[in-house]
Amino acid sequence: MKLTVSGANLKDDTATLQSCGIRAGSIVVLSGEKANKEEVEQQTASGNPEEYGLLVRIGRIVDPIKVTMESDIAQFNAVVQEKMAIGPPLAEADKRFLHDRGIYLSEKLMQALITLDGVECSPEFQTARQARRENVRLLQRLLEQVDAARAEAKKLLREE
């Protein structure tokens, strides 16, 4: 579900209406998808639409990362290994790429982890809790891979 006020999407799920600037006469639009009852029952242990909503929210956070991040990390690793095989001195463009790409990958994963941390699953929503737990582990594993590649890149940059 999305709450839109004066054309702007409200992003803080915990904010009060008053803190978002909603006053008497404000136009508020609530948009979202109605959950399919059969799909809710298939996807969740509880059969609760709220749990299904959490699963959808978790998926929206992690699915874009899953699509590209592993190949992006593999590509970054390959570039680091290639530059290590060649050895110093590195061209300025190569230095900038290694530095910037490592930071970009780390930040993208940290951003997803922080967003996922904001998803609170009630104890009775076992399916959502398990999905959140598995995706946190996946993101942490990917972040460790990026950190390892960045450490190798830093060694290479220091040798110059």
Side-chain angles (χ1 to χ4, degrees):
M1 296 285 172
K2 284 187 182 177
L3 197 58
T4 306
V5 179
S6 301
N9 290 330
L10 301 181
K11 296 181 181 183
D12 185 359
D13 293 343
T14 61
T16 64
L17 296 178
Q18 185 177 10
S19 70
C20 296
I22 298 174
R23 307 276 186 262
S26 295
I27 296 176
V28 178
V29 177
L30 178 65
S31 59
E33 302 169 12
K34 187 173 181 179
N36 180 340
K37 191 173 183 174
E38 291 174 10
E39 193 171 340
V40 169
E41 290 173 358
Q42 285 177 343
Q43 300 258 341
T44 64
S46 68
N48 188 321
E50 188 177 344
E51 182 177 15
Y52 180 73
L54 289 171
L55 288 171
V56 169
R57 189 170 164 200
I58 290 166
R60 286 188 181 145
I61 295 167
V62 179
D63 289 347
I65 299 288
K66 287 180 178 178
V67 170
T68 60
M69 191 56 72
E70 288 186 349
S71 63
D72 289 349
I73 294 170
Q75 179 187 24
F76 180 62
N77 260 325
V79 171
V80 170
Q81 295 305 318
E82 174 188 329
K83 299 302 176 191
M84 287 183 74
I86 295 170
L90 292 178
E92 282 301 315
D94 291 337
K95 290 179 188 179
R96 171 75 49 206
F97 173 81
L98 290 175
H99 181 263
D100 291 350
R101 191 65 179 170
I103 289 174
Y104 169 79
L105 294 172
S106 291
E107 289 296 321
K108 193 86 170 152
L109 290 167
M110 285 301 298
Q111 188 177 49
L113 272 169
I114 290 167
T115 306
L116 198 55
D117 191 46
V119 177
E120 294 183 27
C121 301
S122 297
E124 64 269 12
F125 296 158
Q126 290 300 316
T127 308
R129 290 170 59 86
Q130 182 64 28
R132 183 181 175 280
R133 189 177 308 117
E134 288 171 0
N135 284 298
V136 164
R137 287 183 183 140
L138 169 70
L139 294 173
Q140 288 173 335
R141 181 179 54 81
L142 293 173
L143 188 58
E144 287 171 2
Q145 291 175 10
V146 171
D147 288 345
R150 285 184 68 198
E152 291 296 317
K154 283 181 183 177
K155 286 181 195 174
L156 188 61
L157 294 173
R158 269 190 241 125
E159 290 178 4
E160 296 196 2

